[in-house]
Amino acid sequence: MASQQAEHDRVGGFRRVVDGPAAEWFGLAVRLGLAVVWGWAGLAKVSDPAEAAQAVRAYEILPESLVKPVGWGLPFLELALAVLLVIGLGTRVVALISATLLLVFIAGISSAWARGISIDCGCFGGGGTVDESQTKYLQEILRDTGFLLLSAWLIFRPRTKLSADAWLAA
Amino acid sequence: MSDKNREGKRSARERMLEERAGQEARAKRNKKVVVGGAVIAVIAAAVVVGVVVQNQRSKPETPTAAPAGTIGDKNLIIPVGADNAPSTLTVYEDPRCPACGSFERTFSPTVDQLEDAGKIFVNYHIVSFIDRSLGGNGSKYGANALGCAQNAGHFRDYHDVLYRNQPGETEDTFGNKQTLIDLGKQVPGLDNPEFQSCVNTNTFGGWVSAVQQDFDKSSFKSTPTVLLNGQPIYPKKGDEQISPENLVKWVDEANQGKQLGTPGSHGQSPAPSSTAAETNTSPSP
């Protein structure tokens, strides 16, 4: 009985940490962190459309007809996610889309790695074929996994401080 | 107040509370749907606008203006040597690529000789992708300057000067247009306002992008890519390592029994715009 009570307290304490104001401030930091990631990734891919298309083409996954639409549209998708995260609108939906996108990226990089082609992921601009010694697949996957964890936090705890969501809910 | 009455009052209040809770839950759900829809709409609009904007911003795959004398169906190739030479050497190079620099410094005298003897027709594709990975403009501006030199009929000489003065890969020296213009002063016939303005205004920027997009779509992934009659010979042809001697040998083997070409004016087309070039640069010994 006593141990059950302790267990209950521990769970209650955990809940308070995860749902309390401290967690909402942490959520704000996560939200803005992910916004910076998407903003940086998007901006880096906007300046040269041919480069963005080539980064996609280098994966040798999509047919040529989809290379340009994806290469051109993706940075704007990333920028839209960044803006929505900054204002904190629809945080859970945005986090879900972020996580899906990151899973797609991780799958693409893994596929390139598994097929033995040598490319830069083009995650933050650049991209295309690189020398075999210049590939950084593991770092790229680990980095994206880190971003995936940020997204996961926001999926499970979408309530954050200073968000449009909180303002709308009030 | 009877007990019964009290009970009835409470259940009425409960009903009211329940109803209100239900209304609040519905409102909350509706709000969620509206916010979710707005988010999806914003993202979809961003993507559509992005594709349209980038489509407008991207340079065409067929250039609107190409340097004089360029060949191929989109005028992306700079030819050097006799077009009726029995063998064709195709070279893909980036002005900033160190391996291209070392290839040029080792092989350009041999290539010049083979051109001048009418043994090979060289097709240069001046690509510009190093800027993408390292940042800067040296590949693009360098390629444009080479286009300007071609336009004036001095590609071969300027090309050699550029590679002799190539900076380290990470240094964007060629991203400085003045440096490119100054290097032009080493080529008689390029020290003039036309070349300077061509370099400064990036006249062939669209052509440079088209050449790169053509390379992007090709199966070649690195530079230098060197093909003799379509067959890769760099760094090796089959099991044989490339060397100036081997290059001459391979060309002679390919040309066996065939009539040599007739190289025109210093292997350049169009003819150099200044006579100074012809007096100054005698064929390599």
Side-chain angles (χ1 to χ4, degrees), chain A residues 46-47 54 60 68 77 168, chain B residues 31 43 54 57 61 216:
Chain A
V46 165
S47 66
Q54 181 58 13
E60 296 175 20
K68 281 177 180 173
L77 169 58
L168 284 171
Chain B
K31 220 182 239 179
I43 290 173
Q54 294 296 69
R57 283 185 63 229
E61 289 179 19
D216 283 342

Side-chain angles (χ1 to χ4, degrees), chain A residues 16-27:
Chain A
R16 265 198 301 283
V17 170
V18 168
D19 287 332
E24 290 185 26
W25 284 110
F26 179 69

